[in-house]
Amino acid sequence: MLLKTPLAILSALVTVALAQVPPISLSGDTAVHDPTLCKDKNGKYFVFATAPGIAIRTSTDRITWTFEGAMWPNGAPWTDAYTGQSNANLWAPECHYTGSEFLVWYAASTGSLNSAIFLAKSSTGAPGSFTNLGLVTSTSTANDYNAIDPSVLIENGTWNFALGSYYTGIKYMTLDPSTGIASNSSVTSLARRFAADGAVEGSTIYKYGSYYYLFTSWDMCCHGTSSTYNIRVGRSSTVNGGYVDKSGVALTSGGGTLVLGSHGNIIGPGGQFVYTDNDGPILVYHYYTPYGSRLGINHLNFSSGWPVVV
Ligand SMILES: *[C@@H]1O[C@H](CO)[C@@H](O)[C@H](O)[C@H]1NC(C)=O
Ligand SMILES: *[C@@H]1O[C@H](CO)[C@@H](O)[C@H](O)[C@H]1NC(C)=O
Ligand SMILES: *[C@@H]1O[C@H](CO)[C@@H](O)[C@H](O)[C@H]1NC(C)=O
């Protein structure tokens, strides 16, 4: 038998505890899927999430959430060609507040390659207040990646955009800063899996210190408590490629360090977004319970150079 010193036992317990940090306790309506978060100039929080017309929830304290309604309460007919239905679920929005306006990118798809990402804006973020700014980029069966799950990082006037995917993985392009629309459809690759049917999607690019971090969701979403979604990360000193995981494996070769997986009653965490709030970086995600998906929020600690859920 292996004899452990009390210190080794303690450090083993700490390791387990770090991997199993529960979400911050939230209340109100938190039944979200694929959340993104922004904060307006009055400090009010908005979470946009997958739903018919994209669901909007708000909070004044980031703890208690209220369902407000849909971005498009009467449907979004311009998306119907990509969902094959009227007022179907629109997927995985990405929100940015510019100081005076909400910009929200969101996807229309059935999971096939016939997919599109659209952009909308609003000065209030209220249901029904959004203006359709049109098609950002789209894919068809002629493409080898899928135009879903938008992520935007605006830095020094460059609007970096990640999207995808399954198929050949997560792609990068830039958006025209004057429109928020892709200037052209040329892409570079950020991450790809060769295992698990290429199950990598829901990317988020986040800058911390001198690194760009690419968070992705691996494996299977959307199967209730059978979901196997888990949140992975790699980092790079350049935004448009070169991401490696903690072991040095390129994300384009299937690399990805686990940030958060299923633990206890928290099943299939994924669909994540990372936001810099006044109290530091937070990880915003969904997870499953027997009653449906729920909003998860945790702090992230980057002091080791890699994000740790705390
Ligand atoms: C953005 O601008 C800041 C300040 O000028 C600079 O330190 C940083 O390197 C720039 N980042 C990029 C990606 O150009
Ligand atoms: C297409 O977009 C890329 C960035 O995604 C840019 O580097 C390239 O110059 C653009 N090409 C054209 C022809 O505009
Ligand atoms: C981040 O983690 C390090 C190492 O555990 C700790 O020393 C530091 O206080 C933490 N930072 C914050 C802001 O909690």
Side-chain angles (χ1 to χ4, degrees):
M1 122 176 206
L2 182 66
L3 286 173
K4 286 190 170 168
T5 64
L7 190 60
I9 292 168
L10 184 64
S11 95
L13 287 173
V14 167
T15 304
V16 169
L18 282 178
Q20 296 193 337
V21 175
I24 293 167
S25 183
L26 305 178
S27 61
D29 183 340
T30 61
V32 307
H33 201 269
D34 303 326
T36 180
L37 179 143
C38 28
K39 191 154 99 166
D40 74 7
K41 57 174 179 277
N42 303 315
K44 186 174 181 180
Y45 295 94
F46 287 71
V47 160
F48 298 86
T50 294
I54 298 288
I56 306 172
R57 288 175 179 78
T58 63
S59 174
T60 53
D61 58 5
R62 216 180 63 199
I63 299 290
T64 303
W65 293 90
T66 304
F67 178 72
E68 301 287 354
M71 273 177 60
W72 312 114
N74 305 311
W78 55 90
T79 63
D80 294 353
Y82 299 94
T83 62
Q85 294 175 57
S86 172
N87 204 15
N89 264 344
L90 298 173
W91 289 3
E94 169 84 358
C95 176
H96 280 260
Y97 188 71
T98 64
S100 60
E101 272 183 340
F102 294 83
L103 293 174
V104 181
W105 289 263
Y106 58 95
S109 178
T110 58
S112 77
L113 289 166
N114 180 40
S115 304
I117 294 170
F118 294 91
L119 174 60
K121 70 169 183 181
S122 162
S123 56
T124 64
S129 70
F130 283 81
T131 304
N132 174 19
L133 298 181
L135 183 73
V136 174
T137 190
S138 64
T139 49
S140 71
T141 50
N143 292 101
D144 62 3
Y145 68 97
N146 199 10
I148 59 168
D149 296 354
S151 171
V152 177
L153 175 72
I154 299 174
E155 188 182 40
N156 293 2
T158 300
W159 291 35
N160 302 288
F161 191 59
L163 68 162
S165 197
Y166 277 81
Y167 303 95
T168 60
I170 307 298
K171 305 297 180 184
Y172 170 91
M173 56 172 67
T174 55
L175 304 178
D176 180 340
S178 65
T179 60
I181 305 289
S183 9
N184 66 66
S185 58
S186 80
V187 295
T188 57
S189 276
L190 298 183
R192 180 175 187 183
R193 290 184 75 195
F194 296 89
D197 197 25
V200 55
E201 59 182 356
S203 66
T204 303
I205 308 181
Y206 183 71
K207 181 88 183 281
Y208 189 91
S210 55
Y211 285 108
Y212 299 90
Y213 292 85
L214 183 71
F215 293 81
T216 57
S217 296
W218 276 23
D219 300 332
M220 204 173 60
C221 82
C222 316
H223 283 72
T225 51
S226 302
S227 301
T228 56
Y229 241 21
N230 56 98
I231 301 173
R232 300 279 170 157
V233 74
R235 73 180 189 189
S236 174
S237 51
T238 53
V239 66
N240 61 348
Y243 291 89
V244 295
D245 70 13
K246 211 171 172 176
S247 312
V249 180
L251 265 52
T252 48
S253 303
T257 297
L258 184 66
V259 176
L260 189 65
S262 294
H263 56 279
N265 298 325
I266 308 302
I267 308 298
Q272 76 291 325
F273 181 76
V274 183
Y275 182 79
T276 310
D277 210 346
N278 298 340
D279 55 352
I282 53 168
L283 181 67
V284 178
Y285 56 96
H286 73 244
Y287 62 91
Y288 282 93
T289 72
Y291 318 104
S293 61
R294 294 289 183 266
L295 179 64
I297 299 179
N298 285 86
H299 291 282
L300 286 176
N301 183 327
F302 282 83
S303 72
S304 67
W306 290 93
V308 174
V309 172
V310 289

